[in-house]
Amino acid sequence: MSFSQQHRIAISWHVRAGLLLVGLLCAALLGKTQTREAFRADHMDTVLYGVAYYPEYMPYDRLDQDVQLMQKAGITVVRIGEFSWGLWEPEDGKFEFAWMDRVVDKLHAAGIRIIMGTPTASIPAWLYKAHPEIVVTRIGGQYLYYGYRQNTDLSNPTYRFYCERVSRKILEHYKVNPAIIGYQIDNETSSAGAANHDVQVGFADYLKSKFKTTDTLNKVWGLNYWGQRLNDWTELPPRDGIINPGWKLEWERYSQWMTTDFLAWQASIVNEYKRPDQFVMHDFAGPPRPEVNEPEVVKSLDIVAANPYHGTQDQFDGEASSYVGDYVRSLKQTNYLITETNAEAIGWDSKEQFPPYDGQLRLDVYTHAASGANMVEYWHWHSIHYGQETYWKGVLGHDLTPGRAYDEVSRTAHELQRIGPQIVNIQHKNQVAILYSNDSYYGIEFMKFSDRVNYRTILRQMYSALYRSNVGVDFVFPESKNLSAYKVILVPSLYVASDAVLSKLVDYVKGGGNLVLAFKSGFCNEYSTVRW
Amino acid sequence: MSFSQQHRIAISWHVRAGLLLVGLLCAALLGKTQTREAFRADHMDTVLYGVAYYPEYMPYDRLDQDVQLMQKAGITVVRIGEFSWGLWEPEDGKFEFAWMDRVVDKLHAAGIRIIMGTPTASIPAWLYKAHPEIVVTRIGGQYLYYGYRQNTDLSNPTYRFYCERVSRKILEHYKVNPAIIGYQIDNETSSAGAANHDVQVGFADYLKSKFKTTDTLNKVWGLNYWGQRLNDWTELPPRDGIINPGWKLEWERYSQWMTTDFLAWQASIVNEYKRPDQFVMHDFAGPPRPEVNEPEVVKSLDIVAANPYHGTQDQFDGEASSYVGDYVRSLKQTNYLITETNAEAIGWDSKEQFPPYDGQLRLDVYTHAASGANMVEYWHWHSIHYGQETYWKGVLGHDLTPGRAYDEVSRTAHELQRIGPQIVNIQHKNQVAILYSNDSYYGIEFMKFSDRVNYRTILRQMYSALYRSNVGVDFVFPESKNLSAYKVILVPSLYVASDAVLSKLVDYVKGGGNLVLAFKSGFCNEYSTVRW
Amino acid sequence: MSFSQQHRIAISWHVRAGLLLVGLLCAALLGKTQTREAFRADHMDTVLYGVAYYPEYMPYDRLDQDVQLMQKAGITVVRIGEFSWGLWEPEDGKFEFAWMDRVVDKLHAAGIRIIMGTPTASIPAWLYKAHPEIVVTRIGGQYLYYGYRQNTDLSNPTYRFYCERVSRKILEHYKVNPAIIGYQIDNETSSAGAANHDVQVGFADYLKSKFKTTDTLNKVWGLNYWGQRLNDWTELPPRDGIINPGWKLEWERYSQWMTTDFLAWQASIVNEYKRPDQFVMHDFAGPPRPEVNEPEVVKSLDIVAANPYHGTQDQFDGEASSYVGDYVRSLKQTNYLITETNAEAIGWDSKEQFPPYDGQLRLDVYTHAASGANMVEYWHWHSIHYGQETYWKGVLGHDLTPGRAYDEVSRTAHELQRIGPQIVNIQHKNQVAILYSNDSYYGIEFMKFSDRVNYRTILRQMYSALYRSNVGVDFVFPESKNLSAYKVILVPSLYVASDAVLSKLVDYVKGGGNLVLAFKSGFCNEYSTVRW
């Protein structure tokens, strides 16, 4: 969906939202209670503990046995449904819920809370057959084909049409189900490098909307260089051959906007259905992730979630988990969820099969809780016997019987049942912050100063120094308004920054703040143009 | 040619075979002798010794001189014709034999036996001009163009049409020639990674034929994973984007089938013409070669041949030659041929120009003979002055005059004339075998446990240990029925194995056999699905 | 433009040349002086010293300030206009000169001489929009898109049409301007690996023209190998899949011819306009550059120029500059120009930001002058704030104010004003030469003998030995007629050489010359075919 189409569709949402209001009114008149408080991330009753659960992946039906094992272990939450579009809608327009109803019912009966996912991250084969054009074509022409997940053009209207329909059907079906505590939209979303025709058209629309005239572009990107100035928007060449750093940065911003917009749109659909006590969230893959503008995405979410995986055995050190935790907590400045983390050994091949030492699973849970996590879920309950993630092992191994990991999960779950209410909703009041600039990551990537060191290396060095010194740290962003809350702000190479951002830092220092600024900071303006 | 087309064509072969029977009957009535015994690989009269010979590659006519030099050296066999389609059929449908007749006549007059090759491994330029679609397109869209050899889609009906016609013409012309002792079909054949449209269609046919319903596929490949289940065969996506290990394994099996089928088809054509005293064979490139199912291919052949190249100078150690020899001998459990091995230095550039030390050529001959080879041929007689193999040197160097290699070949030839009849038809009665599983190679490749070590590494470690301990070894296969003939069977990581194969191994042990089983054995069933 | 089209167009040039003659006659009658001597590279009045200058790249107008700073520094020459087609012709057929007129006028007023470039090396966006087919498609299908420069198919008639029109407009406009001392055509031209359809057709035309029949090709390239012989020209396959070394060498020769032809054509256009006191030149990128046949290109030029960049700080050693200088001087056996060399740090990223030590800028100038350079120009005056060359720094840094580099340039300029007339037009009478064979570079590349060492490595080893022994050296070529002028000729691996060239070397030795011949010399004839 192009930038301008998006605005037109936004209007139709308003119409739909109006209809919804009428619906809600009717529902109230019919006696449905709407009195429970709206969901608050810092008002949870305990630290939830559980797994992603895919009974549909199993080679035989073992639902009863699974639920019994979960209940026995003390698991309190599962995430379901987020990768099963092909089961929700096995044929175009034919929806099936029975297969999931029995899962939801049995989990609910066992007292296990449920997070339901929209299944849009992996399209069914019938949809690919009908619409191969919705799959990503990358810069240079590489086409991703069918077989992978997260390989669709997020702005494609056909893809959006099918996403919307399946999501509404699921939401409609489960909205009254008391077992559902919240919804996850999509999964670890990014633009996947999409440069499809409609993405290129959307980028041109975005540029028009942002810069108005090509003369502005000529100026901010210095297009007199090599005589590449544009007379009008029809002359804008495809992104594929572009090497201008400002142009490339703007493309990355548009790619990020595609994700932001797609998730905001999905959240708006969920919001039409969800109850006040339910949340809508999205799980970020290993944030901070440059291709996703997490600070923008979270504006549409009730609560933030992340999927941090960590080294195990001697490589386990907690820093990686805290790093993600501090970052994710800072996005909405409150508690968050861990939707995925290692149960046993992980990997997309079998090279890294190092299951955690005894105690490391438990240690990881409290690491996350200490950073502000109000939930820890493993990916995943079972190990799968086929597919790319055969060796991304679950709480249960391939034999599907309780083993060492299950036992430690069980011990930890029971401990959490006791102390969870005391440690939930932890708040941090840190005096030190790190300023994170996604733009600076890309600005430096396009003009690398090293093959070994980049923006993230410097960021991580700063974080490590603080972590090893036991100094609590938040993240702030170029758009943040709360800088003065911190005694010290560390700034990794802020290569790309507008005058406004630089002024804000100057003001911070003038107001008594202590700023540690890495090299190459302030080098370029917001268009990745070197200052003169 | 697709799987189903193949079955239709098989019927037409029966018709053709009937006509042939009539023809043979007529020939018998006309007085042709058909009394010589059928060819037996273990009934040869001596160890044949010779070269591949391409007089057509020479910059000037030197046939007489070459034949004289061969005769003087004591060479007893040459292989000819297998790369010269463009000379056999210089224009579409115009066949020329005179250029080869004089070669055959002069070799025959000199008492040198001839193996004649079908020339299908390298298409003429006129055929490419008319039918560029017969050249391989690989997964992801890479098209191989013209210029290389072994770059055709083996299942393409157009390619098959031209292959059949040129082969029949050559066979028809030479079938009565007494100099021809046997035929080589194609050369070092593989599917070359073909994923052309007709290959993808053929793969779908193959799946239909093997699995009947997509529901079976959904089950054996676990297609509920990421919701990728198929409703019907029209939803089968192209192979290009697939990452499911079971799917990928089945594709490899189909790719192998393409080679098996192509060679069986070629052999069936040769069989219509060849005399009982002649053989049909194919030369495998450095077997075992995962992309070729050698145990299946040999079912169509009278005798097996291989092209092992080895290190020279200090890298010469005989193990590589024995490894290939033991493997190739085991394919039909009898003697075999070496159709190509190093004469002088080899390489597709000039980086590895290390000609053998004195005595290494002779040593290599007896290494092969000791493994059961009844023939050793060098690739090749001349060195060529142009083309990719300029530095893949022959018995004669670029100066085309006898040198050190010629002298050692001559000494060895004369020695073989003396002792050949004593050492030919060597039989091995080994008490140890290694079980080779092509499927396990691929199963592990798709879920690698190491970047350094793979199935072949483990296989080779086992072989090395036996070789260095001077223990004679055969190879057996998952389909082999003779396991009980061995006291010890070593099994490299048998990652992919059906229940039937595992039962066979259990039975072997129950019957007193000693089984050495490497790690990861029995992990997956025949669909590369982890057992539960 | 294809080879045969080129000949047709050559005829039309003769017609145009005739018209020009009439024009010149008229001009003479109208009183224009044509009495100044024709330009001679060895008759210059001083060593020119200056910069490439792109005021159009600056974020604000600072022309007056720049000219003042140049004048103050003592700069005597600038090169302008060669990358600004989009400014010369902002829309199809609409030409603008005012933006450049004020630059030319102010420089002239300041006594600074001007070299004007034709802007064909970087096409405008409107031209790409209308004619994306003029951009290079490489072997295998890679298309270069818009965004880069030097990415056009030099033989494409559409590209040629636009090149000719813009060049003629600029020449027409400036031909009477006394500030212009000469013209640069295009910039660092090469075929950029173009294998567009029209290039493949042109290559076929070239082969027909050179070899007449495909039978000749069959013979010189040994196309009986793998049966790839051609019956007629229609069977010639595309270059993409070719691995035959002789074929590949001939393709490289054709690629080189495309550059030679394009530059000869541009020079012929300039020659229609330029005054006798003006020169036409082209700047070679880091010669010798195998993809350009510099000895052929220079036949169309009055004077040769080169763009050598060198290591700085501890990596500065002068050998690289002398190497290029000796080579470029040898091309026309007289003085030459340095059009680009390091001012400050260089690089297409920011990894190599090592500005020269104090004194290295000056040292570099005299290094070039000592080799015979009559001009040294930096690339470039300003540092640019956007685009790929942001970190290819100028005499002025990004702050655009005089700094350390400016100061050293200024000191050197004033010194040159004093001693320039004494050191200009230096002539060398060397007794030693190195024979450079572009063909041998490619011949060896296609049959590499090493991954570390190639033709250039050996060439450079020979040059280094001479440089370090303080022996002055010229370069000669296979076509050179002056071998007897040298006491010693060193020949790096002359892998590809005709009988005529080998005879010439034999004659040289017979005549008393001393020849040092590296290994692999004389191996192949002129078609990269090994001698027999």
Side-chain angles (χ1 to χ4, degrees), chain C residues 113-126:
Chain C
R113 308 181 206 192
I114 295 173
I115 298 172
M116 180 67 78
T118 66
T120 48
S122 182
I123 60 171
W126 58 258

Side-chain angles (χ1 to χ4, degrees), chain C residues 200-498:
Chain C
Q200 305 249 13
V201 170
F203 179 53
D205 279 356
Y206 161 86
L207 294 177
K208 265 183 255 185
S209 168
K210 176 166 183 173
F211 294 101
K212 312 304 182 215
T213 68
T214 50
D215 272 351
T216 312
L217 274 196
N218 291 337
K219 192 172 167 59
V220 300
W221 291 347
L223 296 184
N224 273 357
Y225 175 64
W226 293 349
Q228 299 185 340
R229 55 184 296 286
L230 305 170
N231 289 301
D232 60 53
W233 292 105
T234 68
E235 286 178 16
L236 194 82
R239 164 66 181 82
D240 303 71
I242 298 306
I243 56 176
N244 182 301
W247 195 318
K248 285 158 76 177
L249 176 60
E250 211 59 53
W251 172 268
E252 294 305 325
R253 286 175 176 146
Y254 181 72
S255 286
Q256 293 163 27
W257 176 85
M258 284 173 62
T259 299
T260 304
D261 178 67
F262 178 77
L263 292 175
W265 172 78
Q266 280 230 355
S268 77
I269 294 171
V270 172
N271 285 337
E272 294 183 35
Y273 297 88
K274 78 171 210 279
R275 302 188 304 268
D277 62 312
Q278 290 176 322
F279 57 83
V280 60
M281 67 82 175
H282 172 73
D283 59 325
F284 293 119
R289 187 181 177 201
E291 60 266 43
V292 178
N293 191 335
E294 290 120 355
E296 281 299 309
V297 169
V298 300
K299 292 178 181 171
S300 312
L301 306 176
D302 295 320
I303 188 162
V304 186
N307 302 341
Y309 290 90
H310 52 80
T312 52
Q313 299 189 2
D314 295 350
Q315 269 64 55
F316 182 90
D317 74 352
E319 183 185 312
S321 302
S322 296
Y323 174 69
V324 173
D326 288 338
Y327 179 82
V328 174
R329 183 190 65 243
S330 302
L331 288 169
K332 285 184 94 76
Q333 300 173 52
T334 188
N335 304 95
Y336 62 93
L337 310 180
I338 295 297
T339 23
E340 300 183 14
T341 192
N342 317 42
E344 294 191 76
I346 64 172
W348 270 30
D349 47 40
S350 63
K351 284 181 221 159
E352 301 290 331
Q353 295 293 294
F354 303 109
Y357 289 148
D358 279 341
Q360 289 190 330
L361 286 179
R362 174 173 176 269
L363 184 54
D364 189 50
V365 169
Y366 292 112
T367 302
H368 289 304
S371 292
N374 277 351
M375 177 178 92
V376 176
E377 275 186 338
Y378 297 106
W379 201 87
H380 44 160
W381 173 246
H382 301 114
S383 299
I384 319 179
H385 305 81
Y386 5 59
Q388 190 63 64
E389 288 163 318
T390 300
Y391 290 95
W392 205 293
K393 309 284 283 294
V395 173
L396 302 183
H398 283 126
D399 61 0
L400 303 174
T401 59
R404 199 164 61 81
Y406 176 86
D407 291 347
E408 186 164 333
V409 166
S410 179
R411 279 196 304 277
T412 309
H414 286 92
E415 190 172 54
L416 274 176
Q417 283 176 350
R418 197 159 37 82
I419 67 170
Q422 278 86 58
I423 66 173
V424 74
N425 305 320
I426 284 177
Q427 298 300 310
H428 286 254
K429 291 285 173 213
N430 292 316
Q431 298 186 315
V432 178
I434 291 174
L435 189 148
Y436 175 74
S437 160
N438 209 343
D439 285 346
S440 294
Y441 168 81
Y442 281 109
I444 289 170
E445 282 305 288
F446 300 147
M447 283 287 150
K448 283 178 196 291
F449 55 80
S450 164
D451 290 324
R452 292 179 303 104
V453 180
N454 66 9
Y455 178 81
R456 291 172 72 96
T457 324
I458 298 160
L459 167 63
R460 193 59 187 266
Q461 278 175 331
M462 288 182 164
Y463 185 85
S464 272
L466 296 170
Y467 181 85
R468 278 179 276 130
S469 310
N470 205 23
V471 176
V473 60
D474 292 344
F475 283 80
V476 292
F477 304 95
E479 299 73 24
S480 294
K481 297 188 196 316
N482 62 336
L483 301 196
S484 60
Y486 298 96
K487 284 201 179 156
V488 182
I489 295 179
L490 289 84
V491 183
S493 305
L494 189 65
Y495 184 73
V496 172
S498 65

Side-chain angles (χ1 to χ4, degrees), chain A residues 140-141 218-232 234-235 237-245 248 446-451 495 520 523-524 528-532, chain C residues 56-57 59-60 83-87 89-92 122-126 128-129 144-149 348-353 379 384-391 398-400:
Chain A
N218 292 336
K219 191 171 168 58
V220 301
W221 291 347
L223 296 184
N224 273 357
Y225 175 64
W226 293 349
Q228 299 185 340
R229 56 183 297 284
L230 305 170
N231 289 301
D232 60 53
T234 67
E235 287 178 15
R239 164 65 182 84
D240 303 71
I242 298 306
I243 55 177
N244 181 302
K248 284 157 78 177
F446 300 146
M447 284 287 151
K448 284 179 197 291
F449 56 80
S450 164
D451 290 325
Y495 184 73
K520 285 212 170 264
F523 226 72
C524 293
S528 222
T529 300
V530 173
R531 287 193 158 78
W532 57 84
Chain C
E56 65 273 25
Y57 290 1
Y60 59 93
F83 270 122
S84 297
W85 189 340
L87 280 88
E89 187 179 4
E91 296 173 40
D92 188 348
S122 182
I123 60 171
W126 58 258
Y128 180 75
K129 173 190 163 192
L144 297 195
Y145 293 95
Y146 188 73
Y148 204 76
R149 56 176 179 178
W348 270 30
D349 47 40
S350 63
K351 284 181 221 159
E352 301 290 331
Q353 295 293 294
W379 201 87
I384 319 179
H385 305 81
Y386 5 59
Q388 190 63 64
E389 288 163 318
T390 300
Y391 290 95
H398 283 126
D399 61 0
L400 303 174

